[in-house]
């Protein structure tokens, strides 16, 4: 398997992520339409709760595996130890859910009467998704991007085919969807692990070690500062979703689920960049000048990347939501706008998170996570639980506001520390935010206004599709013009930009 440089790996990951996002969009567009609003709300609830449960049980061990395997590629034992750990927690999670379902009757009310089999399918779907993301991180640690990208695309194609067939035959339900999802994900993850071990054996034939005690101590030291904060963080996600389900019901959970799916699709663009940064920071951890340069460049790239997509969706949400999901999901417009602001700072926070993990500052990360969750607790009390300010609660809008406000403050804290640690002036990080948001908001609002002025404000599906398309074209053209005129805003020079354009032209000839 071929190793690539950072830019090459990101281009591969970005290209594959765009393809994956396309297939994922088909899946996520079909599910809300084929399932009832309430059933889609249950799917969204299961996804959020079980994903957090699996991450909680993981105890940050996946972060330790990535950080250590990135620095010591020859030690296959790191991966083997982690996989044994992952298998144990997966078994324990299944046993725990079965025992709770049987022994604690009230637990069934939290899942709105779902059967034990359906709950276990949802749990194992989350477990296998986590395994797949961890296997991809193993490839990232080895600087291999082509093969995992190909396999991820294959997974989405197979899943998309199954969903489309089930949809058109009229037989698709949550049971069938979970069955296909778990089966295909297990197949792809197994094939990728097998190929990873063969490639490692080819590269490091005599380097295998299996010192479980040694790795156990290493993982314990790395994870110890993170465990409590990570558990608290994931518990709060579970609490937020449980409160939403309790006080607002399945329909509001569905509205939030729609907004979250848009966040996930955008995440396919910026998450690969954040994952790659873990290795990039780890290999230059002892060179402060390179660290500072890489961090500043990453902050610029990530903010522009996430803001470009999120601001457009925020400004045009009242067109995009009904067009993509149907008029019955119009209640998701406001929460989508809140989640788009959250998405921008979520992406930026991932840069800080990658930096802290790569430099093994786990105590600092634990502190920031704890402070962040304090904001979340306040957000649950103010925005989600009925109170004097909001007697009926805010439903999906409440959880969106909670995510937006708490994430904004926590991300600013993390970025401020990273800037201080690497001796980057904070006014530079402030300038990145203000310039980027100003450009994107002005471009999106102006593009929308021009299109409405020319086409009108009709809301039929065909007219909405045309307006979204031409607004996107104008918006992209304006953003492209700004970057061409001021390439330093994304951390490159005019010469670098012109060289890239000329290289692209030569490739098209």
């Amino acid at each position: 398997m071929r190793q690539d440089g950072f830019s090459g790996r990101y281009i591969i990951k970005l290209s594959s992520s765009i393809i994956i996002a396309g297939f994922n969009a088909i899946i996520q567009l079909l599910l809300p339409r084929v399932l009832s609003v309430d059933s889609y709300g249950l799917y969204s609830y299961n996804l959020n709760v079980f994903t957090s449960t699996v991450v909680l049980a993981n105890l940050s061990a996946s972060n330790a595996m990535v950080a250590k395997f990135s620095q010591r590629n020859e030690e296959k034992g790191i991966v083997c130890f982690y996989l044994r750990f992952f298998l144990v927690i997966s078994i324990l999670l299944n046993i725990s859910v079965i025992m709770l379902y049987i022994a604690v009757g009230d637990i069934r009310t939290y899942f709105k009467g779902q059967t034990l089999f359906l709950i276990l399918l949802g749990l194992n779907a989350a477990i296998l998704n986590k395994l797949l993301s961890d296997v991809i991180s193993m490839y990232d640690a080895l600087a291999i991007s082509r093969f995992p990208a190909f396999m991820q695309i294959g997974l989405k194609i197979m899943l998309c085919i199954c969903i489309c067939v089930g949809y058109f035959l009229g037989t698709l339900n949550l049971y069938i969807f979970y069955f296909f999802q778990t089966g295909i994900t297990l197949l792809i993850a197994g094939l990728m692990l097998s190929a990873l071990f063969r490639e490692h054996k080819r590269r490091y034939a005599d380097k295998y070690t299996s010192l479980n005690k040694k790795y156990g101590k290493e993982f314990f030291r790395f994870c110890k500062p993170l465990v409590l904060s990570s558990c608290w963080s994931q518990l709060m996600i579970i609490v937020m979703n449980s409160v939403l389900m309790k006080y607002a019901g399945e329909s509001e959970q569905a509205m939030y689920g729609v907004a979250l799916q848009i966040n996930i699709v955008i995440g396919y663009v910026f998450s690969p960049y954040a994952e790659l940064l873990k290795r990039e920071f780890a290999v230059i951890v002892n060179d402060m000048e390179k660290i500072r340069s890489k961090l500043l460049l990453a902050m610029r790239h990530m903010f522009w990347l996430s803001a470009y997509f999120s601001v457009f969706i925020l400004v045009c949400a009242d067109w995009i939501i009904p067009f993509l999901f149907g008029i019955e999901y119009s209640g998701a417009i406001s929460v989508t706008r809140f989640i788009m602001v959250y998405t921008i700072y979520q992406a930026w926070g991932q840069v800080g998170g990658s930096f802290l993990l790569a430099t093994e500052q786990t105590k600092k990360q634990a502190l920031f996570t704890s402070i962040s969750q304090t904001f979340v607790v306040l957000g649950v009390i103010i925005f989600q639980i009925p109170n004097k300010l909001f007697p009926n609660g805010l439903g999906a809008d409440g959880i969106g506001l909670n995510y937006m406000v708490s994430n904004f403050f926590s991300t600013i804290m993390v970025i401020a520390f990273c800037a201080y640690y690497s001796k980057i002036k904070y006014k530079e990080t402030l300038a990145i935010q203000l310039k980027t948001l100003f450009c994107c908001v002005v471009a999106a609002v102006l593009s929308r206004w021009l299109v409405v002025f020319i086409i009108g404000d009709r809301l039929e599906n065909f007219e909405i599709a045309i307006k979204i398309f031409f607004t996107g074209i104008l918006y992209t053209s304006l953003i492209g013009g700004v970057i061409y005129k001021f390439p330093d805003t994304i951390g490159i020079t005019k010469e670098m930009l012109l060289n890239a354009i000329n290289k692209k032209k030569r490739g098209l000839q």
Side-chain angles (χ1 to χ4, degrees):
M1 296 182 189
R2 179 177 171 181
Q3 283 185 304
D4 297 285
F6 178 77
S7 59
R9 279 182 285 133
Y10 181 62
I11 290 170
I12 293 167
K13 273 188 167 285
L14 180 59
S15 301
S16 65
S17 293
I18 291 171
I19 297 171
I20 291 167
F23 286 113
N24 202 60
I26 295 172
I27 295 167
Q28 297 306 331
L29 286 174
L30 288 177
L31 279 178
R33 292 176 182 273
V34 72
L35 301 175
S36 66
V37 172
D38 287 351
S39 292
Y40 186 72
L42 290 175
Y43 163 75
S44 175
Y45 180 71
N46 288 348
L47 176 67
N48 298 330
V49 169
F50 286 135
T51 298
S52 293
T53 300
V54 173
V55 173
L56 187 155
N58 186 262
L59 302 176
S60 295
S62 57
N63 290 327
M65 181 272 294
V66 173
K68 295 186 180 301
F69 193 48
S70 294
Q71 296 175 10
R72 291 141 53 191
N73 283 174
E74 71 280 2
E75 293 192 39
K76 177 183 170 184
I78 296 171
V79 172
C80 293
F81 175 82
Y82 175 74
L83 290 174
R84 293 187 191 102
F85 172 80
F86 190 90
L87 177 62
V88 170
I89 64 168
S90 299
I91 294 171
L92 289 176
L93 280 173
N94 276 273
I95 293 172
S96 299
V97 167
I98 293 171
M99 292 178 65
L100 284 171
Y101 189 88
I102 295 172
V104 183
D106 290 343
I107 199 71
R108 303 179 193 186
T109 62
Y110 288 100
F111 290 98
K112 295 294 181 178
Q114 295 181 71
T115 65
L116 176 60
F117 183 55
L118 185 59
I119 292 171
L120 289 175
L121 282 174
L123 171 63
N124 284 283
I127 288 172
L128 289 170
N129 279 334
K130 175 61 176 169
L131 175 63
L132 182 66
S133 67
D134 288 338
V135 174
I136 293 167
S137 295
M138 295 170 194
Y139 277 94
D140 289 339
L142 290 170
I144 298 172
S145 298
R146 297 168 191 264
F147 178 70
F150 173 78
M151 295 299 286
Q152 282 179 279
I153 293 171
L155 181 149
K156 288 298 178 182
I157 290 174
M158 287 190 286
L159 187 58
C160 192
I161 291 172
C162 292
I163 298 305
C164 288
V165 171
Y167 172 68
F168 289 115
L169 290 177
T171 58
L172 186 64
N173 56 40
L174 269 182
Y175 287 96
I176 294 173
F177 175 73
Y178 280 143
F179 177 77
F180 282 130
Q181 185 184 28
T182 54
I184 294 171
T185 306
L186 179 61
L187 173 65
I188 295 298
L191 291 174
M192 290 178 68
L193 273 175
S194 177
L196 179 81
F197 289 145
R198 288 197 302 271
E199 176 64 14
H200 193 279
K201 184 176 181 180
R202 185 186 67 80
R203 291 189 189 184
Y204 310 104
D206 300 320
K207 297 289 185 179
Y208 175 71
T209 180
S210 182
L211 302 175
N212 286 333
K213 188 175 180 180
K214 170 195 168 184
Y215 295 128
K217 290 180 178 178
E218 279 194 63
F219 274 59
F220 178 78
R221 284 195 298 270
F222 185 98
C223 298
K224 184 180 178 181
L226 297 174
V227 169
L228 286 178
S229 61
S230 176
C231 288
W232 188 15
S233 174
Q234 299 308 317
L235 280 171
M236 286 311 306
I237 293 175
I238 295 171
V239 167
M240 290 165 72
N241 281 273
S242 298
V243 167
L244 176 60
M245 184 67 86
K246 178 179 179 179
Y247 291 106
E250 293 95 323
S251 61
E252 286 295 296
Q253 185 76 49
M255 299 304 122
Y256 166 60
V258 163
L260 191 62
Q261 288 307 317
I262 296 176
N263 165 268
I264 290 171
V265 170
I266 299 174
Y268 280 116
V269 178
F270 66 76
S271 291
Y273 187 76
E275 287 299 314
L276 291 175
L277 284 174
K278 291 178 183 177
R279 184 181 188 278
E280 294 305 302
F281 288 138
V283 297
I284 58 173
V285 69
N286 295 317
D287 190 327
M288 184 54 67
E289 187 61 35
K290 288 183 179 179
I291 280 281
R292 180 164 53 250
S293 176
K294 177 68 71 175
L295 178 59
L296 190 57
L297 190 64
M299 287 194 292
R300 286 196 179 111
H301 287 175
M302 186 65 93
F303 206 91
W304 269 101
L305 191 64
S306 57
Y308 167 75
F309 292 101
S310 299
V311 169
F312 177 75
I313 294 171
L314 185 154
V315 171
C316 299
D318 56 328
W319 295 346
I320 293 171
I321 296 300
F323 175 72
L324 291 181
F325 300 100
I327 196 69
E328 62 268 29
Y329 286 93
S330 295
I333 292 170
S334 295
V335 65
T336 298
R337 286 175 168 149
F338 296 139
I339 291 295
M340 288 305 99
V341 178
Y342 159 75
T343 299
I344 295 171
Y345 284 91
Q346 174 198 25
W348 220 35
Q350 286 189 10
V351 173
S354 296
F355 180 83
L356 293 175
L357 286 173
T359 53
E360 299 201 17
Q361 297 186 76
T362 53
K363 290 183 179 179
K364 293 291 190 305
Q365 186 176 30
L367 174 62
F368 291 131
T369 301
S370 298
I371 296 173
S372 170
Q373 295 317 302
T374 302
F375 291 132
V376 172
V377 172
L378 293 173
V380 170
I381 296 170
I382 296 171
F383 300 126
Q384 292 192 249
I385 297 175
N387 54 59
K388 290 184 179 180
L389 283 175
F390 307 107
N392 298 317
L394 294 175
D397 291 347
I399 195 171
L401 275 166
N402 194 353
Y403 269 112
M404 182 183 75
V405 174
S406 61
N407 187 258
F408 172 79
F409 287 112
S410 60
T411 295
I412 293 299
M413 284 191 305
V414 171
I415 293 296
F417 172 78
C418 292
Y420 170 78
Y421 179 87
S422 55
K423 295 181 174 58
I424 295 173
K425 294 179 180 178
Y426 186 67
K427 67 179 182 181
E428 291 188 72
T429 66
L430 182 63
I432 291 170
Q433 299 170 71
L434 295 181
K435 288 179 181 178
T436 306
L437 289 174
F438 177 79
C439 290
C440 290
V441 170
V442 170
V445 171
L446 181 60
S447 299
R448 178 186 170 117
W449 181 83
L450 286 171
V451 169
V452 170
F453 179 77
I454 296 169
I455 297 177
D457 204 20
R458 293 183 297 274
L459 295 176
E460 288 78 10
N461 260 4
F462 180 69
E463 282 84 357
I464 290 178
I466 291 175
K467 286 190 287 189
I468 292 171
F469 177 76
F470 283 107
T471 302
I473 294 294
L474 279 173
Y475 173 69
T476 301
S477 300
L478 289 172
I479 294 297
V482 170
I483 293 174
Y484 182 78
K485 184 69 175 177
F486 307 103
D488 59 301
T489 58
I490 60 170
I492 63 174
T493 64
K494 195 66 170 282
E495 290 74 19
M496 292 169 64
L497 182 61
L498 291 173
N499 287 337
I501 293 172
N502 291 331
K503 186 176 179 181
K504 187 69 175 177
K505 286 180 179 178
R506 288 195 298 270
L508 294 174
Q509 291 175 351

